Amino acid sequence: MDFDKAFGKAVKDIRISRGLTQEFFTDISSRTHISRLELGQSGATLNFINKIAAALNVHPLTIISLAYLNTGNITDLSELQNVVKKDIQTLGSKELQALIKD
């Protein structure tokens, strides 16, 4: 699944699990925009992801993580966490590496 569709599915899955309709997002965006986002027909900026996450009462990384899991390239949350941890560790910055706690 391509990332836009995977991201849209993540948003939709969270929205439905909360018992919300697309109209719930009217303070953030139009229902048409949310529909296009959920269908993978449009992407989202980081600012917009933050707004959606706040409205759904989840961390933005929750939506992004679910999207990556939806792509099928990584199928396990702990595997995804390990990939991110390894990436940060290989960046070479002691400040970034200090953020990783075992």
Side-chain angles (χ1 to χ4, degrees):
M1 180 180 298
D2 77 18
F3 190 76
D4 284 340
K5 288 184 187 214
F7 182 82
K9 181 178 179 342
V11 171
K12 183 176 182 177
D13 289 347
I14 296 168
R15 176 182 61 75
I16 290 172
S17 77
R18 299 275 199 249
L20 303 170
T21 65
Q22 291 178 341
E23 286 77 18
F24 171 78
F25 294 106
T26 55
D27 288 343
I28 299 171
S29 185
S30 69
R31 193 199 64 74
T32 301
H33 184 232
I34 295 298
S35 177
R36 289 179 41 78
L37 181 77
E38 289 184 354
L39 293 170
Q41 297 172 347
S42 68
T45 64
L46 187 54
N47 187 46
F48 193 61
I49 293 169
N50 281 320
K51 288 179 182 181
I52 292 170
L56 292 171
N57 197 32
V58 297
H59 194 282
L61 290 178
T62 301
I63 301 172
I64 294 169
S65 296
L66 288 173
Y68 275 100
L69 293 171
N70 284 338
T71 65
N73 296 331
I74 295 178
T75 58
D76 179 77
L77 181 58
S78 61
E79 180 186 354
L80 177 58
Q81 291 168 328
N82 288 335
V83 167
V84 172
K85 183 177 180 180
K86 182 179 175 186
D87 286 347
I88 292 172
Q89 288 172 333
T90 61
L91 292 175
S93 165
K94 290 181 182 179
E95 291 81 15
L96 290 176
Q97 290 178 12
L99 295 173
I100 302 295
K101 296 179 177 81
D102 289 322

